[in-house]
Amino acid sequence: MNVEAQAIEAKKASKKLMVLSTEEKNEALIHLADFLEKEYETILTANEKDLENGREKGFSEAFMDRLSLSKERVEDFAKGLREVAKLDDPTGSILSDWTLENGLQVEKVTVPLGVIGMIYEARPNVTVDATGLALKSGNAIILKGGSSAINSNQAIVDVMHKGLAETKIPSEAVQFIASTDRAATNQLFTMKEHVDVLIPRGGGKLIQAVVENATVPVLETGVGNCHIYVDKDANVEKAINILVNAKTDRPAVCNAAETLVVHKDWLERNSEALVDALQKNNISVHGDEHVMTVIPGAVLAGEEDWANEYLSTDIAVKSVDDITEAIAHIETYGTKHSEAIVTEDKKASRTFLNLVDAAALYHNASTRFTDGSALGFGAEIGISTQKLHARGPMGLPALTTIKFLMKGDGQIR
Amino acid sequence: MNVEAQAIEAKKASKKLMVLSTEEKNEALIHLADFLEKEYETILTANEKDLENGREKGFSEAFMDRLSLSKERVEDFAKGLREVAKLDDPTGSILSDWTLENGLQVEKVTVPLGVIGMIYEARPNVTVDATGLALKSGNAIILKGGSSAINSNQAIVDVMHKGLAETKIPSEAVQFIASTDRAATNQLFTMKEHVDVLIPRGGGKLIQAVVENATVPVLETGVGNCHIYVDKDANVEKAINILVNAKTDRPAVCNAAETLVVHKDWLERNSEALVDALQKNNISVHGDEHVMTVIPGAVLAGEEDWANEYLSTDIAVKSVDDITEAIAHIETYGTKHSEAIVTEDKKASRTFLNLVDAAALYHNASTRFTDGSALGFGAEIGISTQKLHARGPMGLPALTTIKFLMKGDGQIR
């Protein structure tokens, strides 16, 4: 089936899904969870094919680990679906209501977006997570996963389709693009009639390709070139703990720190403690010329280092004369994701939080908290780095829109 | 000055504007209002040039009327600014706040978007209205008006610049693109670094051009192919009043009705009353084959009539066998703006309001109420027909985004 036909099917299914009750959707999600657990062997068999292909292609160990499934991982998928079933239904809420002088009643209510196009890379867990969030919020979903996980994703979708057949949610509400042809994805980018939003999740190149080529509205997610700014008056212990945590806790995620911006006075006073911490944690420094004279073993940073999302234990280090220079650096190279200041100076922290333009601003805490589950949102569909519709971690409400419902008795203007 | 340099200036100014208090912004708006009234002659002199050019080009009377300014119209501009000064400041609101178990305080606050690019056609009032709404919400604005009003717009902006010079708002917060070169507008479409959102206001072609060519996020406004569906059980008087009002009150606006979808049973019973009302109000009918047999003087509608936004007293009339066929027609040809059902059958109205996908759905009322001031929002920057960020009439909150502010004491994950 071609992608347009799939999108039309998804749109039709979304109309049926839209009118289901919360209970009917929750029952379907729980049934899906049970079904995935029951059919886990089918999924693991397909996953074995992807792993074999990956080994042939010489993929990295980290990549193979993300690709690899097990009975436990499938059980985690099911657990995720059961958690989503427990969350509040984001649709059908009356956000406000009022009556005009002429008696016309106005209600502003939340409704599903319709059809979500999800474009993502390797991890097969996105196939289940995104489906759960879409269905719970009353949306159909079109899944386009990475080619390296295609057998796993196809098997997961097959199992979900079989499971949905026994529920009130039409199977057609979950569409999987099996083609690895780039043209298939590109078709998805411009089907404004059938697709209401595209959500790309993955590396910067994938996201750029979607933003540049799509006429369907895009919810841009997650490239994070996050900075820790250590101010003149930063507490040494806090600064070092936050830096090490933000850099090394999970270097490959988007809320990890990529650049340390440091006040020269602080650096001069605390270089020993800093160098010690960097060495202990195997952090490789790319520094400016001043930093080179203070941190042994640093390599000279070029323009590309300031913009780089290393996703490793490398870090760029920029020394500054004051907070104004720090903010200017962050504005130039940041991706408006998460930015932190470490300082005991309240005025400095206020300036930073007010002036820096990003989804999440931190005073004396690690950037690692920009995460739906850490903030208590339940599951997240991604972290938005754009300003419209949703910014920061996106939970279920990001998958809804509103309608004005007007009830009258013949009112005219 | 080239457009990029203007956008950079706007961005810089937006940083200063962002930290002004509500009082400082309101004082500036009131000062601007006074100043426009004081300098109205400068504006009228410039307007005379546009009118002269318009006469030479043979523009229509309606067009010339929209273009034409007077002392009273300038006073209306000033009145509009004073109204905006009275509205609540949409920025700085804490939408929610909570504390994580580890003590990290989280606040979700509203903040300005930054720089708004406004692309619009003839009416010079948009120059003032959009500027007022942008400044009140803490945003800088780049104005690109239609070439037929360029002298009026330039004069209005010059007066506003002089006025702003005496306030806390930097004059650079209002940028005017004086070039009529299409390349200048196109430059605006892709300056993601400096421009946070584009708002096109005008005809369908303008809006399409922006949506298709922009990589800057767009708030799509206003093409309205609105339908009145008269159901089998519609009250005759309500149906006819609503139809006539929605079609003729202001045919050139986006919330005017363009198509009547009518149940065949109702049409059979009430053709006389309907024909009478259509004739009295000089409404020209483009009907399907069945309608041709019922309404004298109707011309046969083609595919383009179902999709057409006439913006005149022409109307397309489609007869249907049931509500399902009516909804399918609306889904195929509607622009998701405003759709109405007239019926005394509660079940039918519920079905219509639940299933039709549009910003505003009406039961027994005219589509003309889809309007910020009619709904009590104060001024509006446009009517969004998209689903993300803002849908329907957009007031000041549509010009804001959010930030998560996290205040800690050394928290790490």
Side-chain angles (χ1 to χ4, degrees):
Chain A
M1 190 158 46
N2 72 37
V3 175
E4 192 179 6
Q6 287 187 285
I8 290 170
E9 275 206 347
K11 193 61 157 190
K12 268 192 206 155
S14 77
K15 305 279 174 188
K16 292 178 191 161
L17 187 47
M18 207 164 67
V19 294
L20 295 185
S21 70
T22 305
E23 290 65 36
E24 288 168 328
K25 292 187 286 186
N26 289 344
E27 275 167 24
L29 290 175
I30 291 165
H31 185 75
L32 267 194
D34 296 345
F35 218 82
L36 283 168
E37 285 182 337
K38 212 168 65 187
E39 301 264 324
Y40 78 95
E41 281 174 334
T42 315
I43 297 168
L44 297 191
T45 308
N47 183 242
E48 194 43 57
K49 277 193 235 167
D50 287 330
L51 292 173
E52 220 163 274
N53 292 340
R55 274 187 294 267
E56 268 170 34
K57 287 184 183 148
F59 288 151
S60 73
E61 212 171 308
F63 188 93
M64 291 295 282
D65 176 59
R66 286 200 293 274
L67 184 57
S68 154
L69 296 179
S70 62
K71 184 160 185 274
E72 289 67 35
R73 286 199 174 174
V74 175
E75 282 166 2
D76 281 344
F77 295 173
K79 203 175 134 197
L81 288 176
R82 290 187 190 109
E83 291 294 324
V84 172
K86 281 185 212 153
L87 295 174
D88 288 340
D89 190 332
T91 66
S93 303
I94 300 176
L95 298 180
S96 53
D97 57 345
W98 64 99
T99 304
L100 303 188
E101 273 178 27
N102 63 11
L104 187 69
Q105 292 175 279
V106 184
E107 278 181 4
K108 187 176 172 183
V109 300
T110 59
V111 296
L113 284 169
V115 176
I116 295 166
M118 189 84 201
I119 301 160
Y120 54 106
E121 286 172 341
R123 295 170 184 261
N125 64 306
V126 177
T127 310
V128 182
D129 294 350
T131 299
L133 291 166
L135 298 180
K136 173 76 187 221
S137 50
N139 294 289
I141 190 166
I142 303 175
L143 297 156
K144 175 70 183 79
S147 55
S148 53
I150 192 151
N151 294 296
S152 314
N153 288 335
Q154 178 76 68
I156 292 169
V157 171
D158 288 345
V159 170
M160 292 199 297
H161 276 163
K162 272 198 244 169
L164 285 177
E166 298 168 4
T167 74
K168 290 274 172 68
I169 297 181
S171 303
E172 293 78 14
V174 181
Q175 297 287 335
F176 179 70
I177 299 183
S179 165
T180 55
D181 185 4
R182 192 168 295 266
T185 322
N186 290 352
Q187 243 188 304
L188 204 57
F189 290 175
T190 53
M191 286 192 292
K192 280 193 83 168
E193 272 173 83
H194 314 304
V195 184
D196 293 288
V197 63
L198 295 175
I199 306 179
R201 263 182 77 170
K205 272 188 199 168
L206 171 77
I207 293 167
Q208 246 353 78
V210 177
V211 170
E212 277 168 20
N213 298 305
T215 52
V216 173
V218 177
L219 281 177
E220 206 174 329
T221 68
V223 175
N225 182 18
C226 305
H227 299 74
I228 306 290
Y229 169 52
V230 174
D231 190 35
K232 190 171 60 164
D233 295 315
N235 171 291
V236 184
E237 199 187 332
K238 286 182 198 171
I240 287 177
N241 283 344
I242 288 170
L243 174 68
V244 169
N245 179 260
K247 180 69 259 182
T248 67
D249 180 43
R250 279 188 70 191
V253 296
C254 60
N255 60 21
E258 303 294 356
T259 302
L260 165 67
V261 180
V262 59
H263 196 289
K264 282 176 185 160
D265 294 357
W266 188 94
L267 183 60
E268 199 184 320
R269 289 199 312 274
N270 303 292
S271 60
E272 206 176 315
L274 177 66
V275 168
D276 191 46
L278 292 169
Q279 285 177 345
K280 269 194 191 138
N281 291 282
N282 298 311
I283 299 171
S284 312
V285 169
H286 306 249
D288 62 26
E289 284 184 5
H290 178 71
V291 168
M292 296 285 290
T293 66
V294 182
I295 301 181
V299 296
L300 189 62
E303 187 66 16
E304 70 286 1
D305 286 287
W306 308 130
N308 205 350
E309 199 186 6
Y310 293 116
L311 301 173
S312 67
T313 52
D314 286 50
I315 196 163
V317 182
K318 164 83 182 170
S319 60
V320 294
D321 287 321
D322 55 30
I323 188 171
T324 308
E325 193 185 346
I327 291 176
H329 180 88
I330 293 171
E331 290 279 312
T332 307
Y333 297 104
T335 54
K336 305 190 195 308
H337 190 296
S338 300
E339 309 293 357
I341 181 172
V342 187
T343 188
E344 297 303 307
D345 175 355
K346 285 268 162 69
K347 188 161 167 272
S349 73
R350 222 170 17 241
T351 301
F352 190 90
L353 267 57
N354 279 338
L355 287 186
V356 176
D357 184 18
L361 281 312
Y362 290 85
H363 174 216
N364 286 348
S366 166
T367 51
R368 289 274 297 117
F369 290 100
T370 307
D371 175 280
S373 71
L375 291 178
F377 290 1
E380 80 183 15
I381 193 94
I383 294 173
S384 161
T385 51
Q386 67 182 26
K387 291 183 180 182
L388 297 189
H389 190 65
R391 197 178 200 195
M394 296 188 284
L396 286 171
L399 302 181
T400 68
T401 182
I402 61 110
K403 261 184 184 181
F404 288 96
L405 302 183
M406 326 283 202
K407 296 169 192 170
D409 194 32
Q411 280 83 352
I412 59 171
R413 255 182 112 177
Chain B
M1 188 157 50
N2 70 39
V3 176
E4 190 179 8
Q6 287 187 284
I8 291 169
E9 274 207 346
K11 193 64 159 187
K12 269 191 203 155
S14 77
K15 305 279 173 187
K16 292 177 191 162
L17 186 48
M18 206 164 68
V19 294
L20 295 184
S21 70
T22 305
E23 290 66 35
E24 288 167 328
K25 291 186 286 187
N26 289 345
E27 276 168 24
L29 290 175
I30 291 165
H31 185 74
L32 267 194
D34 297 343
F35 217 82
L36 282 168
E37 285 181 337
K38 212 169 64 188
E39 303 262 326
Y40 78 96
E41 283 174 333
T42 316
I43 296 168
L44 297 190
T45 308
N47 183 241
E48 196 41 59
K49 275 193 238 169
D50 287 331
L51 292 173
E52 221 163 277
N53 292 339
R55 274 187 293 267
E56 269 170 36
K57 285 185 185 148
F59 288 150
S60 73
E61 212 173 306
F63 189 93
M64 292 296 282
D65 176 60
R66 286 201 293 274
L67 185 56
S68 153
L69 296 179
S70 62
K71 184 159 185 273
E72 289 66 37
R73 285 200 176 174
V74 174
E75 282 166 2
D76 282 344
F77 295 174
K79 202 175 134 198
L81 287 177
R82 291 188 190 106
E83 291 294 323
V84 172
K86 282 184 210 151
L87 295 174
D88 288 340
D89 190 334
T91 66
S93 304
I94 299 175
L95 298 180
S96 53
D97 58 343
W98 64 98
T99 304
L100 303 188
E101 272 177 30
N102 63 13
L104 187 69
Q105 292 175 279
V106 184
E107 277 180 6
K108 188 176 172 183
V109 300
T110 58
V111 296
L113 284 168
V115 176
I116 294 166
M118 189 83 199
I119 301 160
Y120 55 106
E121 288 172 344
R123 296 172 183 260
N125 65 307
V126 177
T127 310
V128 182
D129 294 351
T131 299
L133 291 167
L135 297 180
K136 173 74 186 225
S137 51
N139 294 289
I141 189 164
I142 303 175
L143 297 156
K144 175 70 183 77
S147 55
S148 54
I150 192 152
N151 294 295
S152 315
N153 288 335
Q154 179 76 67
I156 293 169
V157 171
D158 288 345
V159 170
M160 293 199 295
H161 277 163
K162 272 199 242 165
L164 286 176
E166 297 168 3
T167 75
K168 290 277 172 67
I169 296 181
S171 303
E172 294 79 12
V174 181
Q175 296 287 334
F176 178 70
I177 300 182
S179 165
T180 53
D181 185 5
R182 193 167 293 267
T185 321
N186 290 351
Q187 242 188 305
L188 203 58
F189 290 176
T190 53
M191 286 193 293
K192 280 193 82 165
E193 271 172 83
H194 313 305
V195 183
D196 293 288
V197 64
L198 295 176
I199 306 179
R201 262 183 76 170
K205 272 188 197 166
L206 171 78
I207 294 167
Q208 247 350 80
V210 177
V211 169
E212 276 168 19
N213 297 305
T215 52
V216 173
V218 177
L219 280 178
E220 209 174 328
T221 68
V223 175
N225 182 19
C226 306
H227 300 73
I228 307 288
Y229 169 53
V230 174
D231 191 32
K232 189 171 56 164
D233 295 317
N235 171 290
V236 183
E237 198 188 333
K238 286 181 199 173
I240 287 178
N241 283 344
I242 289 169
L243 174 68
V244 169
N245 178 260
K247 179 70 261 180
T248 67
D249 180 44
R250 280 187 71 191
V253 296
C254 61
N255 59 21
E258 304 294 357
T259 303
L260 164 67
V261 180
V262 59
H263 196 288
K264 284 177 185 159
D265 294 356
W266 188 93
L267 184 60
E268 201 184 318
R269 287 200 311 274
N270 304 291
S271 59
E272 207 177 316
L274 177 65
V275 168
D276 190 46
L278 292 170
Q279 284 176 347
K280 268 194 192 140
N281 291 282
N282 299 311
I283 299 171
S284 311
V285 169
H286 307 249
D288 60 27
E289 285 183 5
H290 177 71
V291 168
M292 295 284 288
T293 66
V294 181
I295 301 181
V299 297
L300 189 63
E303 185 68 15
E304 69 287 0
D305 285 286
W306 308 129
N308 205 352
E309 200 187 5
Y310 294 114
L311 301 173
S312 68
T313 52
D314 287 50
I315 195 162
V317 181
K318 164 83 183 169
S319 61
V320 295
D321 287 321
D322 55 28
I323 189 172
T324 308
E325 194 185 347
I327 292 176
H329 181 88
I330 293 171
E331 291 277 314
T332 306
Y333 298 103
T335 54
K336 302 189 199 306
H337 190 295
S338 300
E339 309 293 359
I341 182 172
V342 187
T343 188
E344 296 303 307
D345 175 355
K346 285 270 164 65
K347 188 161 168 270
S349 74
R350 226 174 11 246
T351 301
F352 190 90
L353 268 57
N354 278 339
L355 286 187
V356 177
D357 183 18
L361 281 312
Y362 290 85
H363 174 214
N364 286 349
S366 166
T367 51
R368 290 274 297 118
F369 291 100
T370 307
D371 174 281
S373 71
L375 292 178
F377 291 1
E380 80 182 16
I381 192 92
I383 294 173
S384 161
T385 49
Q386 67 182 25
K387 293 185 180 180
L388 297 188
H389 190 64
R391 198 178 201 198
M394 296 188 285
L396 287 169
L399 303 181
T400 68
T401 181
I402 61 110
K403 261 184 184 180
F404 287 96
L405 302 182
M406 325 282 203
K407 295 169 190 169
D409 193 34
Q411 280 82 352
I412 59 170
R413 252 181 115 179

